[in-house]
């Protein structure tokens, strides 16, 4: 069980920035230890493979080019210390980041771009070496007037980089040029018009991908062929119970290590959707929903043991944790911690 959790939050909405919490190994309960507002709006976080560094976006959108990234040392895991300065990414409102082949990649929502920043030997971040511009739009009159890159991540094979764009209803499959650091688009998957793809999660086997769609409350199931870098949609499943009313914007999908269950955070409905996954990975079935323990669950994650779920509830300002029944997949809330404007949780 991890000893510490790191929680990002929106300082512009009253958040404390980066909060460190101790994790009780028996119950999974979080206890706040430390916070720092050294970085504005560290809304998404990622650990280095060795667990010694913590990377954060700075999701600023006052100006189209205000987005940035930062790195913290975890030499003292209870009190992260920023290394160097916050580095502009050359795009606005970075919402997601990934580490890939010696580079930091950020998806920049406001400008619809994906930035590539080199990492130094000490893990520090260099200035961007390339910025990939998405093109296109969609039918939603407010959310799809242009591209809005929301996620960038490598596939399990390590050969491809996928970028998810809410504004253009598409996922792009790219290759990284190791010499120049440029992302080159190999192919693009167009999804149903107006669906609003936000995040993508791979099945543990690596041959299926699940796309969470923010504007239509469905998950798109895709076959993934890593040999050629191709996604092929095969099914859709709703993450809301029949008859659900009101606005809803799903945010995140996580899947169990054995591939039997998936959980989706519903913002608006303020629930966690519980889905069973068949052996092939093609058929997802909504088994029910449970309350998320707050308002507007922006991020959902499993702890390293896979036995507990954690939801970062942005508007109510807290992180709730849930014990997961291993047989049914149903989460039962076990507690929560106050973290204003919480947006992301990672374990170190």
């Amino acid at each position: 069980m991890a000893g510490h959790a790191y929680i990002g939050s929106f300082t512009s909405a009253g958040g404390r920035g980066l909060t460190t919490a101790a994790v009780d190994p028996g119950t999974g309960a979080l206890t706040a230890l430390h916070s720092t507002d050294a970085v504005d709006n560290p809304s998404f976080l990622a650990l280095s493979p060795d667990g010694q560094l913590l990377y954060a976006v700075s999701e600023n959108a006052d100006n189209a080019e205000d987005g940035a990234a930062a790195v913290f040392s975890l030499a003292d895991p209870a009190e992260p210390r920023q290394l160097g300065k916050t580095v502009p990414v050359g795009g606005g409102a970075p919402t997601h980041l990934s580490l890939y082949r010696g580079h930091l990649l950020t998806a920049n929502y406001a400008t619809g771009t994906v930035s590539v920043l080199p990492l130094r030997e000490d893990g520090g971040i260099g200035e961007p070496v390339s910025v990939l511009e998405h093109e296109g739009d969609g039918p939603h009159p407010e959310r799809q007037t242009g591209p809005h890159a929301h996620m960038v991540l490598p596939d399990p094979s390590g050969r491809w980089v996928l970028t998810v764009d809410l504004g253009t209803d598409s996922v792009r499959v790219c290759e990284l040029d190791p010499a120049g650091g440029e992302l080159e688009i190999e192919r693009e998957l167009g999804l149903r018009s107006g669906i609003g793809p936000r995040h993508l999660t791979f099945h543990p086997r690596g041959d299926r991908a699940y796309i969470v769609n923010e504007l239509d409350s469905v998950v798109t199931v895709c076959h993934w062929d890593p040999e050629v870098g191709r996604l092929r949609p095969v099914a859709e499943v709703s993450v809301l119970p029949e008859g659900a009313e009101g606005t809803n914007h799903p945010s995140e999908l996580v899947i169990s290590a054995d591939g039997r269950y998936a959980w989706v955070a519903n913002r608006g409905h303020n629930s966690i959707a519980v889905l069973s996954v068949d052996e092939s990975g093609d058929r997802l079935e909504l088994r029910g929903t449970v309350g998320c323990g707050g308002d507007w669950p922006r991020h959902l994650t499993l702890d390293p043991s896979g036995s507990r779920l954690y939801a970062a509830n942005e508007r109510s300002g807290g992180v709730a944790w849930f014990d997961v029944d291993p047989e049914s997949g149903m989460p039962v809330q076990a507690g929560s911690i106050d973290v204003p404007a919480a947006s992301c949780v990672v374990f170190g």
Side-chain angles (χ1 to χ4, degrees):
M1 180 66 182
H4 294 90
Y6 302 100
I7 305 166
S9 63
F10 285 96
T11 55
S12 60
R16 302 180 186 122
L18 176 63
T19 296
T20 304
V23 185
D24 185 284
T27 66
L30 303 182
T31 303
L33 299 175
H34 177 265
S35 63
T36 173
D37 60 1
V39 173
D40 293 337
N41 296 329
S43 64
F44 198 87
L45 310 170
L47 280 171
S48 61
D50 63 6
Q52 297 301 303
L53 299 170
L54 180 69
Y55 293 87
V57 298
S58 181
E59 190 179 338
N60 294 327
D62 292 339
N63 183 291
E65 299 297 320
D66 275 351
V71 58
F72 293 84
S73 167
L74 299 181
D76 180 352
E79 294 191 14
R81 178 177 58 85
Q82 187 176 358
L83 294 180
K85 297 181 179 180
T86 304
V87 179
V89 300
T95 57
H96 190 268
L97 55 77
S98 293
L99 304 176
Y100 180 66
R101 294 187 177 180
H103 293 84
L104 179 72
L105 312 178
T106 68
N108 311 314
Y109 181 86
T111 47
T113 56
V114 177
S115 300
V116 181
L117 297 86
L119 297 177
R120 299 191 294 266
E121 288 188 6
D122 65 356
I125 306 170
E127 298 290 331
V129 291
S130 69
V131 178
L132 173 67
E133 295 186 1
H134 286 183
E135 296 181 354
D137 55 22
H140 194 288
E142 298 174 357
R143 302 292 305 280
Q144 294 186 315
T145 58
H148 291 300
H150 215 302
M151 186 180 203
V152 55
L153 77 162
D155 85 303
S157 76
R159 177 178 176 184
W160 309 97
V161 172
L162 286 78
T163 69
V164 182
D165 196 299
L166 186 150
T168 63
D169 293 320
S170 61
V171 178
R172 292 165 176 85
V173 179
C174 307
E175 286 190 283
L176 180 71
D177 175 8
E182 293 186 358
L183 280 177
E184 300 176 353
I185 299 174
E186 181 70 19
R187 57 179 50 86
E188 180 176 349
L189 168 67
L191 296 171
R192 181 162 54 80
S193 181
I195 202 169
R198 176 186 174 94
H199 274 202
L200 182 152
T201 303
F202 285 98
H203 189 282
R205 285 197 313 261
D207 61 354
R208 300 291 188 273
Y210 306 106
I211 303 169
V212 177
N213 298 287
E214 180 172 337
L215 301 182
D216 206 15
S217 294
V218 297
V219 171
T220 303
V221 181
C222 294
H223 286 189
W224 169 245
D225 183 349
E227 293 298 318
V228 296
R230 180 175 287 112
L231 286 166
R232 180 169 63 87
V234 295
E236 283 185 8
V237 59
S238 174
V239 295
L240 290 176
E242 188 175 350
E245 297 180 352
T247 301
N248 186 63
H249 298 295
S251 62
E252 189 82 38
L253 180 148
V254 293
I255 188 167
S256 60
D258 61 10
R260 295 174 58 209
Y261 295 104
W263 302 271
V264 177
N266 280 317
R267 296 174 300 171
H269 194 253
N270 287 338
S271 65
I272 298 172
V274 183
L275 302 107
S276 60
V277 185
D278 75 351
E279 188 173 351
S280 72
D282 288 347
R283 186 171 182 269
L284 275 61
E285 181 181 352
L286 180 63
R287 306 304 293 268
T289 59
V290 299
C292 67
D295 184 9
W296 212 251
R298 184 179 176 92
H299 187 246
L300 190 67
T301 191
L302 286 164
D303 72 354
S305 75
S307 63
R308 295 186 181 91
L309 275 170
Y310 291 75
N313 293 307
E314 181 184 348
R315 292 184 178 175
S316 56
V319 175
W321 56 90
F322 302 78
D323 295 325
V324 177
D325 185 304
E327 296 304 318
S328 68
M330 298 301 293
V332 177
Q333 186 173 349
S336 64
I337 184 175
D338 177 47
V339 184
S343 59
C344 182
V345 183
V346 299
F347 291 90

